[in-house]
Amino acid sequence: MLAIAYGCVLIAAVLPYLWVAIAKSSGERYNNRNPRAWQARQEVPRSNLANAAHLNAFEAFAPFAAGVILAQLAQVPADRIAALSVAFIVFRVLHGLMYVGNRHALRSLVWVGGLACVVALMIMAMLRAGMPAS
């Protein structure tokens, strides 16, 4: 079961690059000499929205990875860690799709779902860490 959670950490680590690939393929011909200046010049909404999804995916990665590690260290049952990890990935993929599709209300809703998964992992770790050893 932990292999599923670890696979989800890998997916979450790679997900930002999916969104940036969409950003770079949606604007004018990509120029790698100065990528940030290139992105700043883009007027194609899809490019800018995909770039924002890319940045948000990076922001979400560290808390998620920490939540998985903390839950494992605290010996939270592996099936719970795996279930929350899969749910997090589903929410994050939907988040990026809603971002690129400019569906701001749904994007915020699925963002909350992903955050809830991270918070649940951390709370379960905290509660298990406070339990006496059996």
Side-chain angles (χ1 to χ4, degrees), residues 1-12:
M1 281 292 183
L2 283 176
I4 292 170
Y6 294 165
C8 288
V9 171
L10 174 61
I11 292 168

Side-chain angles (χ1 to χ4, degrees), residues 56-124:
N56 192 275
F58 274 127
E59 294 165 3
F61 174 72
F64 169 63
V68 169
I69 292 166
L70 291 172
Q72 182 196 3
L73 289 174
Q75 298 179 350
V76 171
D79 60 333
R80 291 184 188 166
I81 298 171
L84 285 166
S85 297
V86 169
F88 175 83
I89 293 301
V90 169
F91 283 125
R92 293 306 304 176
V93 168
L94 288 172
H95 178 266
L97 292 172
M98 295 302 109
Y99 226 133
V100 173
N102 201 19
R103 308 285 299 216
H104 56 88
L106 290 174
R107 180 187 79 223
S108 295
L109 184 64
V110 295
W111 179 89
V112 169
L115 178 63
C117 293
V118 171
V119 170
L121 285 165
M122 292 183 176
I123 288 174
M124 286 190 302

